[in-house]
C-alpha cells in the first residue's frame, strides 16, 4: 500500500514564495514520474511541473522561471518551490506519482490529497 502526504500550502502575498512537499510511503520499488498539478476553481487540472526518473524536468509556461521541482530519493519526497507568486497561481495543488510496487512490480498512478495555495494581491 502506498500513501502520499502533501504539505506546505497556505496563504501568501503576491511576490512571495512557497514550498510544497509530497512524501511517499509504502511498498515502493521505484518512482518513475513525479509531477505537480494544480486546479483552480472552474478550471481543468493542469500540469505544473514534472521530473522523470532520468532527471528530465518539465515546467508549464505559466510557471517557467518561477518554479523548481526537485526530489529527495532517500526520503521518497518530491518538492515544488514557487517564487514570485501571482494571484493566478491560486489553486489546489496535487502531487502525482507513477510508482512501481515492491510487492507486485506493477505500476500505478497515485495522487496526493490536494493542498490549497492562495495568493493574495
Amino acid at each position: 500500500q502506498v500513501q502520499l502526504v502533501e504539505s506546505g500550502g497556505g496563504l501568501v502575498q503576491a511576490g512571495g514564495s512557497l514550498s510544497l512537499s509530497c512524501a511517499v510511503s509504502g511498498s515502493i520499488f521505484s518512482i518513475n514520474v513525479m509531477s505537480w498539478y494544480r486546479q483552480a476553481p472552474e478550471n481543468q487540472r493542469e500540469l505544473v511541473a514534472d521530473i522523470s526518473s532520468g532527471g528530465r524536468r518539465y515546467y508549464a509556461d505559466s510557471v517557467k522561471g518561477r518554479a523548481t521541482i526537485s526530489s529527495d530519493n532517500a526520503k521518497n519526497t518530491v518538492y515544488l518551490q514557487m517564487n514570485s507568486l501571482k494571484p493566478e497561481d491560486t489553486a489546489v495543488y496535487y502531487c502525482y506519482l507513477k510508482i512501481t510496487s515492491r510487492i507486485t512490480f506493477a505500476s500505478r498512478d497515485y495522487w496526493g490529497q490536494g493542498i490549497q495555495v492562495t495568493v493574495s494581491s
Side-chain angles (χ1 to χ4, degrees):
Q1 192 169 356
V2 173
Q3 289 186 321
L4 278 63
V5 178
E6 298 181 27
S7 60
L11 175 64
V12 63
Q13 288 189 330
S17 298
L18 204 63
S19 182
L20 304 179
S21 300
C22 178
V24 187
S25 61
S27 301
I28 300 165
F29 176 74
S30 64
I31 301 175
N32 306 311
V33 177
M34 296 176 282
S35 306
W36 286 95
Y37 284 75
R38 68 184 181 186
Q39 188 167 17
E42 302 182 357
N43 285 1
Q44 290 187 336
R45 192 171 297 189
E46 63 174 356
L47 177 63
V48 178
D50 71 20
I51 180 170
S52 70
S53 58
R56 175 196 59 80
R57 289 170 170 81
Y58 163 86
Y59 297 98
D61 288 342
S62 57
V63 302
K64 201 169 290 184
R66 301 188 297 119
T68 302
I69 187 171
S70 61
S71 65
D72 185 332
N73 294 335
K75 295 181 179 180
N76 284 334
T77 301
V78 58
Y79 306 94
L80 181 69
Q81 175 72 34
M82 294 277 292
N83 301 320
S84 302
L85 284 161
K86 306 174 182 180
E88 50 263 43
D89 293 318
T90 296
V92 177
Y93 284 71
Y94 299 89
C95 62
Y96 159 81
L97 293 89
K98 184 177 285 293
I99 296 173
T100 299
S101 167
R102 179 163 50 85
I103 305 299
T104 65
F105 293 100
S107 293
R108 268 195 55 188
D109 300 336
Y110 292 89
W111 291 90
Q113 80 277 14
I115 193 163
Q116 179 70 45
V117 171
T118 302
V119 183
S120 62
S121 56

